[in-house]
């Protein structure tokens, strides 16, 4: 399934993945309803990504804060290990983990990755940081499961018991972390060194498609001058969208 975004700077054709059917079917339905017609790429960050799909951006006056609009639903995450944030990847925007721990996607907002290229040393350092973050999340989840025990030990001012429990949780975290797949695969390293992208977003957002033509248009859009809130100084409009 393919979608063409006709924009004020040129056409971008997107292929939607069958492996992420919730996001695929949702975008196809919205396109057929004309939901995206007249919306803006309202958030553009050079060497990072371009974001669109906010219905509040239609005809938005200059200076209006954008990025909070969408339908009255979110989508279940479809984060697949084989789909990552290579240059040209199509992914779903969402609220942050602190209010959205299930990483559910916006019902309409999406972004297209531009990113940067990295050398292997940079990627190794990034992988270590990402792995540390992953272990921190695992530890926090285990600690949350033992919250009653922790609170009881604190009430008793049992420092030895707290230290023992912390050491136990640290061991369990390390054991669980060993069973997880690598943060960056050989394929990801190859792509991020040769093509580029945003590896620090991998595993956190649903990637559900990719650009098959018009990557030069994405490049032009991500280079456009922006104002407050990362909104382009000159509006970049999705004049219409169609399902191919």
């Amino acid at each position: 399934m393919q979608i063409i975004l006709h924009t004020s700077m040129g056409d971008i054709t997107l292929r939607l993945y069958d492996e992420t059917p919730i996001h695929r079917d949702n975008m196809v339905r919205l396109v057929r309803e004309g939901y995206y017609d007249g919306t803006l790429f309202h958030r553009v960050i050079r060497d990072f990504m371009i974001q669109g799909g906010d219905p509040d951006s239609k005809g938005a006056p200059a200076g209006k804060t954008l990025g909070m609009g969408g339908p009255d639903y979110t989508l279940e995450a479809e984060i697949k290990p084989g789909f990552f944030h290579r240059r040209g990847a199509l992914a779903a925007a969402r609220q942050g983990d602190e209010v959205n721990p299930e990483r559910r996607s916006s019902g309409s907002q999406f972004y297209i990755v531009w990113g940067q290229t990295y050398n292997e040393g940079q990627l190794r350092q990034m992988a270590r940081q990402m792995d540390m973050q992953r272990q921190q999340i695992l530890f926090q989840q285990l600690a949350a499961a033992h919250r009653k025990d922790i609170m009881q030990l604190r009430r008793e001012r049992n420092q030895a018991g707290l230290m023992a429990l912390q050491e136990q949780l640290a061991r369990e975290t390390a054991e669980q972390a060993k069973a997880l797949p690598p943060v960056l695969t050989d394929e990801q390293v190859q792509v991020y060194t040769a093509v580029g992208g945003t590896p620090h977003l991998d595993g956190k957002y649903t990637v559900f498609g990719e650009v098959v033509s018009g990557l030069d248009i994405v490049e032009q859009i991500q280079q456009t001058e922006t104002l407050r809130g990362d909104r382009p100084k000159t509006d970049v409009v999705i004049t219409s969208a169609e399902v191919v």
Side-chain angles (χ1 to χ4, degrees), residues 155-218:
R155 282 192 294 268
E156 296 171 355
R157 298 186 179 182
N158 186 344
Q159 293 300 318
L162 282 170
M163 288 294 295
L165 180 55
Q166 183 175 359
E167 291 172 0
Q168 174 192 331
L169 296 180
R171 288 192 299 271
E172 292 179 12
T173 297
E175 290 172 3
Q176 290 188 23
K178 287 179 182 178
L180 295 173
V183 175
L184 293 176
T185 65
D186 291 343
E187 180 188 6
Q188 286 169 284
V189 171
Q190 182 178 3
V191 169
Y192 289 135
T193 54
V195 179
T198 55
H200 64 283
L201 299 181
D202 288 344
K204 301 175 182 177
Y205 295 78
T206 295
V207 175
F208 66 103
E210 63 185 77
V211 174
V212 293
S213 69
L215 195 58
D216 57 325
I217 304 302
V218 176

Side-chain angles (χ1 to χ4, degrees), residues 11 46 51 72 93 140-141 147 151 158 183:
D11 290 352
R46 183 171 297 192
Q51 183 171 331
D72 60 354
Q140 290 165 0
Q141 291 172 341
R147 185 174 183 276
M151 295 304 294
N158 186 344
V183 175

Side-chain angles (χ1 to χ4, degrees), residues 50-96:
I50 63 175
Q51 183 171 331
D54 181 354
D56 295 343
S57 68
K58 292 184 181 182
K64 180 178 179 179
T65 300
L66 300 171
M68 299 301 293
D72 60 354
Y73 62 85
T74 58
L75 303 175
E76 180 183 347
E78 295 180 291
I79 299 172
K80 309 288 185 178
F83 298 144
F84 53 92
H85 288 76
R86 68 175 70 224
R87 180 166 292 169
L90 169 69
R94 66 174 180 84
Q95 291 184 303

Side-chain angles (χ1 to χ4, degrees), residues 34-53:
Y35 190 93
Y36 294 110
D37 298 356
T39 59
L40 306 179
F41 278 106
H42 63 271
R43 182 170 177 247
V44 171
I45 302 176
R46 183 171 297 192
D47 296 330
F48 184 38
M49 59 91 221
I50 63 175
Q51 183 171 331

